[in-house]
Amino acid sequence: MKKVRLRFAPSPTGPLHIGGARSALFNYLYARKYDGDFIVRIEDTDLDRSSRESEENIKDALLWLGIDWNEGIDRGGSVGPYRQTERLETYGKAVERLMETGSAYRCYCSPDELEAMREEQKARSEMPRYDGRCRNLTPEQEDMFQFEGRKPVIRFRVPEGKSIVIDDLVRGRVVFESDGIGDYVIVKSDGIPTYNFAVVVDDHTMEISHVIRGEEHLSNTPRQSMLYDALDWEPPAFAHVSLILGKDRSKMSKRHGSTSVENYRNAGYLPEGLVNFLALLGWSPEGEEEIFSMDELIRLFDLDRVAKNPAVFDLEKLRWINHQHIQRGDLSRLTESAVPYLVEAGFLTAEQADQEADRLEAMMSVIRSGLDALEDVKDRAELFFHSRPLEDPQAREMVSQDYIPDMLRTFLTHLDNGEKLTPGGVKKAFKETMKELDLKGKQVFMPVRIAVTGVMSGPEMHELIPVLGVDEVRRRMEQNLGRTL
Ligand code: GLU
């Protein structure tokens, strides 16, 4: 059996988006599952739109997601280079073969002539396609065109009357008729190959066994299949994964929210959360479980459970999955990942975060249950860093009653009993305060909350107070009441 080798072949024309990340992930999972190779190749033949900046963005996003490759850009390998603009020689050889066997020819039509051809076809209600007028040029005609200074493109000679059958691993048997396809350009006039040609040469020379990619490429597949035939090469197995739709069932676009991986990263989605979510965009495991680590996905993933029908991008589901991963994640890593958001919110500086790592962890262990994404710490963590100004008239009134200073003092004494503060210790201090001063719960709980936080809602006091410590609790109480206790 052929060695399992898959690739992700992004065009570096923008940041890595959700659809691309899903393709990368499916290829990665399949390669890892079958102990194969996973290759990253850069398809940068669109010179105007490709940039190194996008390539870097894609690489960063893949690595952040935990999708690493063992061969390709930055990693090397025996069938490189792995950037298409560095492979022109390889394409040149394949073109020569196609020219020799008559499967390709030079076409000298100018853009204006092609445009006129299309207009005429439309006027006759025909499908616009290249009519093959340069198919059989004589050497003299070619010389003439060259003499005129025309720069040719190279077109593939599409065989007539042929059915092209693709046995797609997701979509089943798909048949295309060659007669609907005009002779297409495989090398542009500047000598740069087109996608449909370069992809075939690369997938062949890189010994790719399976191509998993988005359904939008299904219509390219017969063009690629004909090239495999003409070059007498065996094509890889194809698996076209369905489109990703927004909740309104139209193709996922910026209208539906962020489409780039980077945006989700910036909003504080965990890589394992996003990976889990992406895996479920088109694939489903057996059973009810929906939360998986990368290792579990590698074990469970297979193409026979990839659906033909479109996947719907549901942000709520992403939030829920990410929430689950936040609960399961390693606390110190989670805390570290949350620091930039705390710094951005102005709660502390990066240096302070280093010094207070233990306290931050204690805080995170309390607030993680309320987080869907790390950026939510901006709301959830605020009261751990400062009290809000005591502005609400109802709250002010509540803590200006006569018994309050004495009650708070008693509470502080019970908190400060020489033992390490714990949630249980705080609960006990509330009880003892009530008992000692013969007060009811409502005379104690809400006033303490207001004195410590300035507001009437927020985290549980028995969770907040151990993180703050007695001194900070006292300082805040004195500040909010404007008096020493
Ligand atoms: N460069 C193509 C893209 O980014 C790759 C398609 C393929 O996987 O063949 O869509």
Side-chain angles (χ1 to χ4, degrees):
M1 215 178 85
K2 245 184 154 169
K3 168 125 209 238
V4 170
R5 281 169 63 81
L6 289 93
R7 49 51 168 197
F8 176 53
S11 304
T13 54
L16 182 66
H17 55 80
I18 292 294
R22 184 199 45 180
S23 292
L25 177 65
F26 282 17
N27 282 286
Y28 172 83
L29 293 175
Y30 195 89
R32 287 283 173 274
K33 183 183 181 84
Y34 291 103
D35 290 326
D37 294 322
F38 178 61
I39 296 153
V40 171
R41 174 177 80 225
I42 295 294
E43 303 207 326
D44 57 350
T45 54
D46 185 341
L47 304 183
D48 292 337
R49 292 174 60 229
S50 296
S51 72
R52 279 299 168 105
E53 193 195 337
S54 296
E55 185 180 317
E56 288 304 313
N57 177 292
I58 293 168
K59 264 175 7 190
D60 281 357
L62 289 174
L63 294 174
W64 175 74
L65 286 167
I67 301 176
D68 204 346
W69 53 102
N70 62 314
E71 194 179 313
I73 44 156
D74 291 358
R75 302 277 183 275
S78 58
V79 290
Y82 295 89
R83 208 175 271 118
Q84 288 188 326
T85 48
E86 294 166 14
R87 299 175 57 76
L88 299 184
E89 219 178 294
T90 312
Y91 309 126
K93 285 189 197 133
V95 173
E96 264 172 46
R97 275 188 56 191
L98 291 172
M99 296 286 286
E100 273 165 22
T101 56
S103 295
Y105 60 91
R106 278 184 285 271
C107 161
Y108 294 86
C109 294
S110 68
D112 286 347
E113 284 163 348
L114 294 173
E115 183 52 34
M117 181 194 311
R118 261 193 299 271
E119 288 307 317
E120 283 165 29
Q121 288 168 334
K122 270 199 234 156
R124 293 195 299 265
S125 306
E126 288 172 16
M127 269 268 283
R129 64 192 170 102
Y130 185 67
D131 65 4
R133 61 179 68 172
C134 289
R135 268 189 158 201
N136 301 306
L137 295 179
T138 61
E140 293 72 29
Q141 284 172 309
E142 290 215 30
D143 284 350
M144 265 298 283
F145 284 136
Q146 303 248 6
F147 183 73
E148 285 174 19
R150 294 189 184 223
K151 280 225 173 307
V153 299
I154 297 182
R155 287 186 188 270
F156 179 68
R157 190 187 301 271
V158 173
E160 280 163 37
K162 213 176 149 207
S163 295
I164 303 141
V165 179
I166 312 290
D167 281 313
D168 192 276
L169 296 177
V170 172
R171 321 209 87 74
R173 179 159 286 216
V174 191
V175 183
F176 297 89
E177 299 304 329
S178 71
D179 287 347
I181 303 172
D183 293 352
Y184 45 93
V185 176
I186 56 174
V187 181
K188 292 175 274 186
S189 57
D190 57 3
I192 303 292
T194 58
Y195 157 70
N196 273 321
F197 177 55
V199 77
V200 166
V201 175
D202 288 348
D203 285 341
H204 171 75
T205 49
M206 294 181 182
E207 295 165 26
I208 300 302
S209 61
H210 298 74
V211 168
I212 306 175
R213 61 187 175 195
E215 192 186 352
E216 67 273 19
H217 285 293
L218 186 61
S219 60
N220 286 319
T221 312
R223 289 173 174 79
Q224 295 169 19
S225 172
M226 288 189 276
L227 281 162
Y228 280 105
D229 273 357
L231 287 158
D232 204 13
W233 290 341
E234 192 193 333
F238 291 105
H240 287 92
V241 186
S242 58
L243 296 179
I244 301 175
L245 305 182
K247 265 194 125 172
D248 60 359
R249 302 236 139 211
S250 67
K251 190 169 184 229
M252 170 88 177
S253 71
K254 287 222 174 85
R255 241 169 2 94
H256 299 104
S258 304
T259 52
S260 75
V261 168
E262 188 180 33
N263 287 342
Y264 291 95
R265 178 183 185 175
N266 291 343
Y269 288 89
L270 303 184
E272 54 270 40
L274 195 54
V275 157
N276 189 160
F277 173 72
L278 291 171
L280 298 177
L281 280 180
W283 169 78
S284 60
E286 254 174 89
E288 298 294 307
E289 183 59 45
E290 293 198 283
I291 302 301
F292 303 106
S293 66
M294 185 72 100
D295 285 341
E296 288 167 329
L297 290 172
I298 292 170
R299 191 161 52 74
L300 296 170
F301 182 81
D302 220 331
L303 288 169
D304 55 5
R305 296 194 63 90
V306 171
K308 263 195 241 182
N309 50 331
V312 174
F313 187 97
D314 178 353
L315 187 63
E316 286 310 308
K317 175 118 185 224
L318 169 58
R319 292 187 74 80
W320 177 78
I321 290 176
N322 201 58
H323 176 88
Q324 302 301 324
H325 283 278
I326 287 179
Q327 309 322 307
R328 291 167 195 219
D330 172 71
L331 184 61
S332 85
R333 212 194 104 211
L334 189 68
T335 308
E336 232 170 79
S337 313
V339 165
Y341 302 90
L342 299 170
V343 171
E344 197 180 295
F347 297 151
L348 80 180
T349 63
E351 295 74 53
Q352 286 167 332
D354 274 349
Q355 289 151 12
E356 296 184 30
D358 289 348
R359 204 168 71 86
L360 292 183
E361 271 190 31
M363 176 191 82
M364 283 302 280
S365 80
V366 172
I367 64 170
R368 59 158 47 166
S369 62
L371 305 178
D372 290 342
L374 291 175
E375 101 184 326
D376 301 345
V377 295
K378 292 181 184 171
D379 284 336
R380 298 279 170 167
E382 181 187 353
L383 296 174
F384 287 79
F385 292 94
H386 54 241
S387 165
R388 294 248 193 91
L390 180 51
E391 280 166 351
D392 178 350
Q394 198 191 345
R396 290 178 79 102
E397 201 184 307
M398 228 182 243
V399 291
S400 54
Q401 300 173 78
D402 291 344
Y403 75 94
I404 295 290
D406 196 31
M407 183 276 283
L408 294 179
R409 221 172 284 127
T410 309
F411 179 70
L412 286 170
T413 318
H414 287 299
L415 274 188
D416 200 4
N417 62 0
E419 285 172 28
K420 188 176 176 309
L421 264 186
T422 60
V426 176
K427 285 184 187 166
K428 203 161 142 211
F430 273 119
K431 268 201 205 124
E432 283 167 349
T433 306
M434 283 155 63
K435 201 161 127 204
E436 188 174 326
L437 303 178
D438 195 20
L439 294 170
K440 296 209 173 63
K442 67 172 189 196
Q443 294 172 291
V444 176
F445 293 120
M446 189 51 87
V448 166
R449 170 182 292 284
I450 295 167
V452 175
T453 67
V455 286
M456 294 173 67
S457 62
E460 299 282 358
M461 283 300 108
H462 62 265
E463 293 185 331
L464 175 65
I465 288 175
V467 179
L468 298 183
V470 181
D471 290 347
E472 171 66 4
V473 169
R474 180 190 305 277
R475 194 192 64 73
R476 288 190 184 188
M477 287 176 165
E478 292 183 342
Q479 184 191 13
N480 278 332
L481 267 66
R483 56 174 295 168
T484 50
L485 288 171

